[in-house]
Amino acid sequence: MNKFFDMNSRIIGNALDSISEHDMERLISDCERTIRKGHKVIASGLGKNVPICDKFVGTMLSLGLDAGFLHMNSAVHGDMGMVHKGDLVIILTKSGATAETVYLVELLRKREDVKLWLISFEQQSVLADTMENKILIQMEHEGDLWDIVPNNSTTLNLIVLQTVAVELSRRLRLDLERDFKPNHPGGAIGERLNHE
């Protein structure tokens, strides 16, 4: 293995192995039910998790699946209006205790028929201890000099969310021509699809 990737690939591999298959199945199944009922899956995060949420939402939309991103800072300034009855919100937080995140979860709990899921790295925290639906990842190190830069944690969040999106495409039996191609008229993907 390339020496530059050896340590982090081992850390990421071990962290992925720590994820409960049962909980992952429940998350994917809840997302599937949400989409089948005509509702949307929303990802919410702060800081370096923002582009991770954006990537997940972009993948979902490219597949023709209803999704959205709710920024935790702007949520309380009106953006919570995107969360409707029947939607599912995935909360990304490394600590499970960030003030903005805890406050947003408290507000969302008051909304009728909104399913909440947590993805976090602390086995015990304000949110890990109080949220029923959760993916708790055991990660030994961020991989940087000080074990503080959001590095391996954001990579793991991306892997988990992209796995959800890809598995949904399988379970919903999405069709390349019907569901994917219409959303990609341009770029290299559009050119490839138009020549197949």
Side-chain angles (χ1 to χ4, degrees):
M1 176 178 288
N2 188 314
K3 67 178 182 179
F4 295 105
F5 305 127
D6 184 43
M7 182 183 76
N8 282 351
S9 64
R10 177 184 55 77
I11 292 171
I12 289 170
N14 289 341
L16 290 172
D17 287 341
S18 79
I19 296 173
S20 162
E21 190 171 328
H22 172 72
D23 292 336
M24 194 69 185
E25 170 62 37
R26 288 181 55 239
L27 171 60
I28 295 168
S29 295
D30 278 354
C31 289
E32 180 185 0
R33 278 190 291 273
T34 298
I35 295 292
R36 287 190 184 277
K37 290 179 179 180
H39 304 297
K40 65 181 171 297
V41 175
I42 297 168
S44 185
L46 275 174
K48 299 303 183 288
N49 278 321
V50 169
I52 303 305
C53 293
D54 277 339
K55 169 59 178 161
F56 167 68
V57 171
T59 299
M60 292 282 284
L61 295 176
S62 75
L63 294 167
L65 303 177
D66 201 1
F69 166 58
L70 178 62
H71 197 293
M72 287 178 184
N73 282 338
S74 58
V76 297
H77 299 285
D79 287 2
M80 276 180 53
M82 75 159 54
V83 183
H84 298 149
K85 181 178 179 179
D87 288 344
L88 183 148
V89 182
I90 302 172
I91 304 289
L92 273 62
T93 167
K94 184 180 178 184
S95 70
T98 310
E100 299 95 328
T101 309
V102 173
Y103 182 46
L104 177 60
V105 169
E106 289 174 359
L107 294 172
L108 290 174
R109 280 177 169 148
K110 297 174 183 177
R111 299 230 159 173
E112 182 183 359
D113 193 25
V114 171
K115 176 81 77 170
L116 296 178
W117 269 89
L118 171 71
I119 300 179
S120 187
F121 293 82
E122 292 295 332
Q123 306 307 300
Q124 291 186 307
S125 69
V126 174
L127 293 181
D129 293 344
T130 59
M131 290 182 68
E132 175 185 359
N133 305 309
K134 55 201 167 195
I135 300 287
L136 298 178
I137 304 172
Q138 297 177 30
M139 182 189 71
E140 61 185 275
H141 203 279
E142 282 285 10
D144 64 286
L145 285 172
W146 314 284
D147 188 25
I148 196 169
V149 176
N151 178 49
N152 286 335
S153 59
T154 52
T155 301
L156 286 158
N157 281 338
L158 180 62
I159 293 171
V160 170
L161 289 179
Q162 290 298 105
T163 299
V164 169
V166 171
E167 185 60 25
L168 284 174
S169 72
R170 292 194 181 100
R171 297 187 183 197
L172 295 168
R173 300 184 182 277
L174 299 187
D175 181 78
L176 183 66
E177 288 289 322
R178 182 191 68 230
D179 301 306
F180 188 77
K181 185 175 178 179
N183 301 324
H184 296 83
I189 292 177
E191 185 175 347
R192 175 183 168 185
L193 290 173
N194 287 325
H195 284 87
E196 289 185 356

